[in-house]
Amino acid sequence: MTTITLALSKGRIFDETLPLLAAAGIEVLEDPEKSRKLILATNQPDVRVVLVRATDVPTYVQYGGADLGVTGLDTLIEHGNHGLYQPLDLGIAKCRVSVAVRDDFDYASAVRQGARLRVATKYVAIAREFFAAKGVHVDMIKLYGSMELAPLTGLADAIVDLVSTGNTLKANHLVEVERIMDISSRLVVNQASLKLKQAPIRRLIDAFAQASKA
Ligand code: PRP
């Protein structure tokens, strides 16, 4: 029996992938919020789900630790393409990548005056490319989370972070000053798996495509 391994991250991506799996007749048999297991069985004996950190999904799929994965466009850009086959925009876990500053920071005039901007972010590749295209000089500070704190503590002038409802920014007296790009989650497939396990993977891709259109 050929086993298909799908890499997902806990939270929004896992939750919003479940209906797509259901449309393909696949039901995950365990709740990751209740169990500590990292390999989850499904009702299909040849399909299993592995739970990894969101930033590790492209790595698992690139090296064949998983045949397929669901990952945000943000994570994918930061990881680099590295031969991942990307057949589908699933249209789930939608948000945007934006620049935000303290509500008392004059971003427009800092940019106009050509000041060097200190930017804290987890999304270094996206931020670098964005500010380079604008011709704004930046000092990049790499963080791994709680970006909102950086402008409040004087660590940075601006952050580049994901925004969904905007509630996190508001709660921390930050304002969105630029929208860099819209984000949604993508299906990524290991290229060797696509050749070696063509039939079951194609079936999954087709079912996901149908369900995400609906
Ligand atoms: C993201 C992001 C913001 C928040 C934005 O964090 O980093 O903190 O969501 O959402 P909002 O606009 O609806 O308030 P997430 O919860 O994904 O966790 P992370 O900090 O680990 O990225």
Side-chain angles (χ1 to χ4, degrees), residues 18-77:
L18 285 185
L20 301 178
L21 285 169
I26 300 165
E27 195 193 321
V28 181
L29 299 177
E30 258 142 340
D31 178 353
E33 300 304 332
K34 293 197 182 118
S35 144
R36 302 286 297 172
K37 281 194 191 169
L38 298 175
I39 300 181
L40 308 179
T42 73
N43 65 335
Q44 307 287 322
D46 57 341
V47 180
R48 62 180 191 168
V49 169
V50 292
L51 293 176
V52 303
R53 286 289 292 263
T55 44
D56 292 336
V57 168
T59 307
Y60 267 82
V61 176
Q62 179 187 345
Y63 294 106
D67 300 298
L68 312 99
V70 176
T71 181
L73 178 61
D74 50 325
T75 305
L76 205 48
I77 293 174

Side-chain angles (χ1 to χ4, degrees), residues 12 53 95-96 122-123 144-148 161-170:
R12 239 184 122 183
R53 286 289 292 263
C95 57
R96 55 192 185 270
K122 181 156 101 178
Y123 305 101
Y144 293 88
S146 302
M147 261 84 82
E148 294 83 4
D161 195 9
L162 298 181
V163 180
S164 176
T165 59
N167 289 340
T168 307
L169 292 182
K170 204 179 293 168

Side-chain angles (χ1 to χ4, degrees), residues 22-214:
I26 300 165
E27 195 193 321
V28 181
L29 299 177
E30 258 142 340
D31 178 353
E33 300 304 332
K34 293 197 182 118
S35 144
R36 302 286 297 172
K37 281 194 191 169
L38 298 175
I39 300 181
L40 308 179
T42 73
N43 65 335
Q44 307 287 322
D46 57 341
V47 180
R48 62 180 191 168
V49 169
V50 292
L51 293 176
V52 303
R53 286 289 292 263
T55 44
D56 292 336
V57 168
T59 307
Y60 267 82
V61 176
Q62 179 187 345
Y63 294 106
D67 300 298
L68 312 99
V70 176
T71 181
L73 178 61
D74 50 325
T75 305
L76 205 48
I77 293 174
E78 293 297 322
H79 176 81
N81 199 358
H82 304 304
L84 290 169
Y85 177 57
Q86 291 176 46
L88 276 183
D89 178 352
L90 297 171
I92 59 168
K94 285 188 178 171
C95 57
R96 55 192 185 270
V97 179
S98 294
V99 182
V101 298
R102 265 169 72 145
D103 55 14
D104 58 359
F105 180 79
D106 193 346
Y107 174 79
S109 82
V111 167
R112 213 180 315 114
Q113 288 162 11
R116 257 192 113 79
L117 214 58
R118 285 174 308 147
V119 177
T121 188
K122 181 156 101 178
Y123 305 101
V124 171
I126 294 173
R128 245 188 233 301
E129 154 106 42
F130 175 75
F131 287 110
K134 270 177 81 79
V136 174
H137 293 288
V138 294
D139 290 319
M140 206 65 78
I141 302 166
K142 166 89 183 184
L143 291 177
Y144 293 88
S146 302
M147 261 84 82
E148 294 83 4
L149 257 183
L152 305 179
T153 54
L155 180 67
D157 303 312
I159 60 170
V160 168
D161 195 9
L162 298 181
V163 180
S164 176
T165 59
N167 289 340
T168 307
L169 292 182
K170 204 179 293 168
N172 292 292
H173 308 287
L174 301 176
V175 289
E176 190 176 2
V177 286
E178 308 240 32
R179 283 176 79 129
I180 300 181
M181 63 173 73
D182 287 328
I183 298 294
S184 57
S185 288
R186 313 294 159 117
L187 186 65
V188 288
V189 183
N190 176 275
Q191 289 193 336
S193 300
L194 186 64
K195 291 198 190 93
L196 297 170
K197 306 177 181 178
Q198 202 168 36
I201 288 182
R202 279 283 164 211
R203 258 201 312 278
L204 254 183
I205 295 174
D206 290 345
F208 275 23
Q210 285 294 327
S212 60
K213 246 189 288 165

